[in-house]
Amino acid sequence: MTPLMHNGRVLFRGDHVVPPNEELRFRVTVVGESLGLRLLNGLEGVKNVKVGSVDASLSVLGVEVLRIDDLWRVGGSRFRIEFLSPVRFAKRSTMGRRRRVRFDFCPSITNILLTTINHYSTVVGLGSELKSWPYLVRWAYNYVYMRDMRGRVVATRHAGRPELGFMGSVEFEIVSRRQSRIQQLWHLLNYAELINVGTGRSMGFGMIRIVTTSQGQAGSSQGR
């Protein structure tokens, strides 16, 4: 789910003053028709809620239904990913038994792809189109360049605990013409835009927006 939003602005860090009777929005994404119907049925019985200590009313503003096949949309060769709420990536220890989770805050294309593939494989299933995902990650490492990064690691609090994550934006460029890999990349990016990236998705971490900054084909080598 996303954090609360007011007039299109994400309310995540700091204190925010919202005038009485103004609308706050949030989006919940579920994968699976049965789970979506259960969620809608559950929301129908909830009218009054509290946002902090403030009484509010809850209503469903709209429902958008997408098929997985609808996410096979290819964007431009250059695009910017805006991280609207903090993002962090959990890393496994390769030595000994490490009980505490180690986080990586770098919004690299490989971190974004790996966390998205992990979620996709668990919830949707990779299928024949994405069975070659290790080669996709290797291709992205070599042919999806990070052109610009603006932002920093910020601190916020959740349930009284301090939490860290990167907020800002990163611009990428695809320097390849291999259409099969480009289609796989954009399919996963479109999925990530719906379900957030990294860890802490259910509490609003990793909300992203993808903005295409150029159109057309990328790269100069057909064999890439």
Side-chain angles (χ1 to χ4, degrees), residues 40-184:
L40 285 176
N41 292 334
L43 290 175
E44 284 183 358
V46 180
K47 300 300 180 184
N48 299 314
V49 298
K50 281 188 176 293
V51 180
S53 59
V54 179
D55 294 324
S57 60
L58 178 68
S59 61
V60 178
L61 298 178
V63 177
E64 183 180 12
V65 179
L66 293 172
R67 298 180 304 133
I68 291 296
D69 289 345
D70 295 333
L71 302 180
W72 289 100
R73 304 185 308 270
V74 175
S77 61
R78 189 179 296 181
F79 56 94
R80 179 173 292 275
I81 299 181
E82 299 175 354
F83 296 89
L84 305 178
S85 64
V87 64
R88 62 191 186 185
F89 305 93
K91 293 295 183 181
R92 293 182 179 179
S93 174
T94 59
M95 297 181 65
R97 295 183 178 180
R98 187 185 183 93
R99 294 184 179 180
R100 297 185 60 185
V101 177
R102 181 170 62 91
F103 292 116
D104 184 357
F105 303 109
C106 179
S108 66
I109 194 65
T110 53
N111 276 341
I112 294 169
L113 283 178
L114 287 173
T115 186
T116 304
I117 289 168
N118 182 60
H119 189 280
Y120 192 104
S121 64
T122 302
V123 178
V124 180
L126 293 176
S128 58
E129 298 90 349
L130 292 171
K131 279 188 176 179
S132 62
W133 68 264
Y135 297 99
L136 169 65
V137 174
R138 186 173 67 178
W139 170 86
Y141 177 83
N142 286 283
Y143 297 118
V144 182
Y145 292 178
M146 182 184 290
R147 293 181 53 89
D148 182 42
M149 182 171 68
R150 303 177 184 180
R152 62 189 179 91
V153 175
V154 299
T156 185
R157 299 188 72 84
H158 177 74
R161 294 173 47 192
E163 304 285 356
L164 298 176
F166 172 85
M167 286 188 70
S169 66
V170 181
E171 185 175 359
F172 295 99
E173 182 176 7
I174 305 170
V175 291
S176 169
R177 290 185 179 179
R178 190 167 180 180
Q179 291 302 309
S180 61
R181 296 296 184 217
I182 294 173
Q183 289 171 356
Q184 291 173 327

Side-chain angles (χ1 to χ4, degrees), residues 1-73:
M1 64 183 298
T2 69
L4 293 174
M5 294 174 282
H6 178 243
N7 292 331
R9 180 188 178 193
V10 176
L11 309 181
F12 203 91
R13 299 183 65 242
D15 298 322
H16 305 275
V17 178
V18 178
N21 299 318
E22 291 208 3
E23 188 177 78
L24 294 175
R25 295 189 177 199
F26 65 95
R27 186 193 72 217
V28 181
T29 301
V30 296
V31 182
E33 182 179 354
S34 60
L35 184 58
L37 292 174
R38 287 172 57 190
L39 175 64
L40 285 176
N41 292 334
L43 290 175
E44 284 183 358
V46 180
K47 300 300 180 184
N48 299 314
V49 298
K50 281 188 176 293
V51 180
S53 59
V54 179
D55 294 324
S57 60
L58 178 68
S59 61
V60 178
L61 298 178
V63 177
E64 183 180 12
V65 179
L66 293 172
R67 298 180 304 133
I68 291 296
D69 289 345
D70 295 333
L71 302 180
W72 289 100
R73 304 185 308 270

Side-chain angles (χ1 to χ4, degrees), residues 78-82 170-171 186 193 209-214:
R78 189 179 296 181
F79 56 94
R80 179 173 292 275
I81 299 181
E82 299 175 354
V170 181
E171 185 175 359
W186 274 105
E193 198 170 24
R209 177 168 57 213
I210 302 174
V211 180
T212 300
T213 56
S214 71

